[in-house]
Amino acid sequence: MKIGFIGLGNMGGPMAANLAAAGHDVTGFDLVANYPDGVTKAASASETARGQDVVITMLPNGAILRSVADEIIPAMSESACFLDCSTVDVESARAVAEQAQSAQLLAVDAPVSGGIGGASAGTLTFMAGGSDKAFAKVAPLFEVMGQKAVHCGTSGAGQAAKICNNMILGVTMIATCEAFAMADKLGLDRQKMFDVVSTSSGYSWSMNAYCPAPGVGPQSPADNDYKPGFASELMLKDLGLSQQAAESVNADTPMGALARALYAQFVENEDGKGRDFSAMLPRFENRDRSD
Ligand code: NAD
């Protein structure tokens, strides 16, 4: 396929490289990033979009996505597909999809999980929103860039799935970390705590697959001095999007709101920025009830 790729950062760079390595004709554009091997450099976003079968965006936020969409939609060929893989607010995802559809284009929002490692290895999971026709058109590209793609529903459904998942993740990581810190104070050995909880009703991905305690459970960022992994500021971004979505549909999400407030405190006022989101454990270790 002829593919335009806009936003060649930590995630977009390796995703575009994988598409080029699989034999697709990839033209890319970014304001600052290095251009990966095999990707032809374009002079602007609109030039990247012209004459392509699919245009992929992998950008920092909804405002940037909307401004790039304004620029590229008029340049895209009829029945081409606008595939946004960024994590953005549901409203921006829906607005951009509507704009594309009114220009006779197909549109899919497909945020990812799997991080930079998954982007490089081509093992991302895509959560997609859009019509069956649009999903079918880009499905072969998901196979190159990822290991799994779930068609979640119409436009915005991919973003909705992503922020609901990450709201659960933020909440369970905090709960796992505060429980480990309390167990320490109760004199419970961390390995025993893991052995019990990972096979009992407190188990979760945060405990079983990404244990925040160093030396316990499978290898995780905790074993590498909490280098990300999934940085706390990215978790904060996703928790902010989930609260924005909760407000827009009047959903009561007290745990999500508290998780957002705790990650905001951690990133903005403590030493959380640049640390993995599981570094909530040393944060709780160093606190008591009067903090
Ligand atoms: P990044 O900052 O490394 O990359 C974003 C790129 O977009 C940058 O290279 C930037 O120069 C470029 N860009 C910004 N405005 C542009 C414009 N107008 N035209 C062209 N290029 C422009 O960020 P990232 O880590 O690659 O994340 C990209 C998206 O993926 C975000 O929405 C993020 O939330 C999501 N995401 C990231 C991870 C992760 O672990 N990094 C995991 C899942 C999802």
Side-chain angles (χ1 to χ4, degrees), residues 176 196-204 207-208:
T176 304
V196 171
V197 176
S198 66
T199 54
S200 301
S201 46
Y203 85 87
S204 68
M207 174 61 85
N208 291 38

Side-chain angles (χ1 to χ4, degrees), residues 155-178:
S155 298
Q159 297 294 347
K162 163 101 188 173
I163 58 175
C164 288
N165 180 73
N166 281 19
M167 187 168 81
I168 295 171
L169 176 61
V171 168
T172 57
M173 181 54 82
I174 290 170
T176 304
C177 291
E178 70 180 24

Side-chain angles (χ1 to χ4, degrees), residues 6-12 29-33 58-61 64 68 85-87 112 115-116 162 229-230 234 237-238:
I6 300 167
L8 301 165
N10 289 321
M11 297 292 290
F29 177 69
D30 192 294
L31 297 176
V32 293
M58 194 54 170
L59 295 164
N61 60 47
I64 294 175
V68 168
C85 295
S86 330
T87 303
V112 303
I116 299 166
K162 163 101 188 173
F230 185 44
L234 291 178
K237 172 190 171 182
D238 292 359

